[in-house]
Amino acid sequence: MHTRKAILPDAPAIHGLIATYAESGILLPRSLPELCENIRDFAVVEDEGGKVIACGALHLYGTHLAEVRSIAVHPSAQGKGAGQRVVKALLQEAKHHHVTGVCLFTRIPEFFAKMGFTVAEVTDLPDKIYKDCLKCPKLNACDEVAMVKGELPKVSILQQARLFARPLKIGV
């Protein structure tokens, strides 16, 4: 297996992996154009033949928080370490960007606990709530567990934006 940053030609394979889990409601669906726009967020794992067998993305909110998302492993590759390889690559990417806390939402907390994630309160992650949760069809019946690794954010990017926002003066 080989882990690497995703490139545009990987988008159809990533789309297929995510679609497999989106159909059953395990992952949020991602359109092919959306994946192309965000391909730089993704890491992939290839098998010996160069086929993409796992993917995942790192969404950056700021140095205070990033989110591991869209983790998908081809059913034939499950249990062989591909998922761990993707998560480790994404955590390395977060470290590269000096991110102090990484969150994720999952239905398999045991898997992520083995990699140092701990259960958190959703309310401790306001950036995630405003980005995705408010428009999720499962908003009031969420069946995912929030988890974090590193520091919980002390302030959200939204709060920071309000603190530093200045009124725009036009024509002055």
Side-chain angles (χ1 to χ4, degrees):
M1 284 188 280
H2 172 69
T3 308
R4 62 173 174 79
K5 293 282 292 169
I7 56 175
L8 273 172
D10 297 323
I14 292 170
H15 184 257
L17 282 172
I18 292 172
T20 300
Y21 295 99
E23 289 170 2
S24 59
I26 294 172
L27 288 179
L28 292 174
R30 305 282 182 209
S31 69
L32 187 56
E34 179 185 8
L35 291 172
C36 289
E37 289 173 13
N38 297 291
I39 198 71
R40 291 175 293 233
D41 295 347
F42 280 84
V44 295
V45 175
E46 297 175 317
D47 64 12
E48 294 78 21
K51 177 185 173 187
V52 173
I53 57 170
C55 67
L58 184 74
H59 179 78
L60 299 169
Y61 292 101
T63 56
H64 69 294
L65 185 67
E67 179 189 5
V68 168
R69 59 195 307 164
S70 300
I71 301 293
V73 178
H74 191 278
S76 68
Q78 289 184 355
K80 298 177 182 173
Q84 284 187 347
R85 290 178 74 109
V86 167
V87 174
K88 286 179 182 177
L90 298 173
L91 291 173
Q92 190 62 38
E93 182 76 7
K95 184 177 178 179
H96 172 75
H97 288 284
H98 302 274
V99 174
T100 56
V102 178
C103 73
L104 57 84
F105 284 65
T106 183
R107 290 180 188 85
I108 51 169
E110 316 79 36
F111 173 79
F112 294 100
K114 291 177 192 172
M115 292 188 294
F117 285 86
T118 58
V119 175
E121 292 295 322
V122 175
T123 54
D124 289 332
L125 304 164
D127 291 308
K128 169 64 176 173
I129 292 169
Y130 289 114
K131 167 91 173 67
D132 293 314
C133 296
L134 292 178
K135 54 188 169 191
C136 179
K138 294 184 178 185
L139 174 63
N140 296 314
C142 184
D143 58 350
E144 293 185 312
V145 176
M147 300 186 83
V148 297
K149 183 172 181 158
E151 297 177 26
L152 275 172
K154 293 171 182 54
V155 65
S156 76
I157 200 75
L158 298 168
Q159 291 167 319
Q160 289 175 355
R162 278 188 232 125
L163 289 173
F164 298 108
R166 292 188 178 94
L168 182 62
K169 295 181 182 178
I170 300 175
V172 177

